[in-house]
Amino acid sequence: MTDTGTGTPRERYRAQVRAEVKAHAWEQLAAAGASALSLNAIAKRMGMSGPALYRYFANRDELITELIRDAYRSLADTFRATAAAGPDVSALAHALRDWALQDPHRYFLVYGTPVPGYHAPDDVTGIVREIMETLLDACVALPSDSPATPFGSHLEEHRRWAGDHPAEPAALHRALTFWTRLHGLLSLELAGHFTGMEFDPALFFAAELDELTKVSAR
């Protein structure tokens, strides 16, 4: 969230306008997706001219970057708060699901179809790495006697996504497995693909998480 309570009056006003722009942008995303995001439409909603709004966001990509940064920061903070009680993959998984269900449009902005023509700046990538590092800490803490695998060996030389984390290849593999499997479930659930199938998605998520945890401990 944007802090609008500090700084000069001009700075506070600027922060307030930017926060209002982002609020309208989230409404647009909910209605039509990121590809339909329009600064001119937001300016009209706010009773401003397009050029006036561009004093606060230079272009659509800058606005998208702010939304993505806020979304990833929200998840990173959620993971950090969850991990404060200790490294626990199950707790992180349930925190991820709760965070996704709280605002599906925010979830799909960062984990759905990429925005055409958009490339995130390095500082956003850093927040993503922070999220993964928290998951890696939890995966390292899992007891495991998993044998070496070809993919694990591959990860020894392809671990840039893990930053400077010292996790062994087996833990890297576990983290990727948890991340991809659970995001697959969440994406299907939030997109409504389980609707009408007459089972409880929360129980399905818990069952898959339990199975993942058992496999990781073998």
Side-chain angles (χ1 to χ4, degrees):
M1 294 179 63
T2 301
D3 182 2
T4 59
T6 60
T8 66
R10 179 186 293 273
E11 289 169 340
R12 290 197 300 271
Y13 178 74
R14 179 177 178 80
Q16 290 167 1
V17 173
R18 283 172 62 87
E20 186 177 351
V21 171
K22 288 195 285 186
H24 286 297
W26 283 118
E27 291 176 2
Q28 281 193 359
L29 289 174
S35 61
L37 194 63
S38 167
L39 266 69
N40 286 330
I42 292 172
K44 186 176 181 180
R45 288 275 314 266
M46 295 175 63
M48 301 172 64
S49 67
L53 189 60
Y54 284 111
R55 293 201 297 267
Y56 300 93
F57 289 96
N59 50 47
R60 187 200 66 154
D61 281 3
E62 183 181 333
L63 176 55
I64 290 175
T65 293
E66 280 292 298
L67 299 177
I68 289 176
R69 185 182 287 119
D70 288 352
Y72 277 130
R73 173 46 55 197
S74 173
L75 181 56
D77 290 347
T78 296
F79 266 30
R80 185 174 62 250
T82 302
D88 184 333
V89 166
S90 294
L92 289 177
H94 286 294
L96 171 64
R97 183 171 184 271
D98 291 343
W99 179 86
L101 291 175
Q102 184 181 57
D103 191 340
H105 305 293
R106 177 179 60 184
Y107 175 88
F108 281 123
L109 177 64
V110 293
Y111 293 117
T113 303
V115 179
Y118 174 80
H119 300 284
D122 290 342
D123 70 307
V124 173
T125 304
I127 303 173
V128 174
R129 189 165 290 168
E130 180 183 335
I131 293 167
M132 186 57 71
E133 286 174 352
T134 306
L135 176 60
L136 282 166
D137 287 341
C139 287
V140 167
L142 281 173
S144 175
D145 56 1
S146 301
T149 64
F151 186 60
S153 299
H154 173 77
L155 287 175
E156 291 188 44
E157 303 297 329
H158 299 82
R159 54 184 299 150
R160 186 172 66 176
W161 58 272
D164 297 326
H165 201 286
E168 296 293 325
L172 297 176
H173 192 175
R174 284 196 296 273
L176 287 176
T177 300
F178 272 92
W179 201 239
T180 54
R181 289 270 295 272
L182 297 181
H183 273 298
L185 284 172
L186 285 171
S187 295
L188 289 170
E189 178 183 359
L190 294 175
H193 293 295
F194 295 154
T195 302
M197 295 181 73
E198 298 185 353
F199 64 78
D200 186 339
L203 292 179
F204 185 30
F205 186 89
E208 285 294 286
L209 177 59
D210 185 55
E211 185 63 25
L212 281 169
T213 305
K214 289 178 181 176
V215 169
S216 295
R218 289 172 188 167

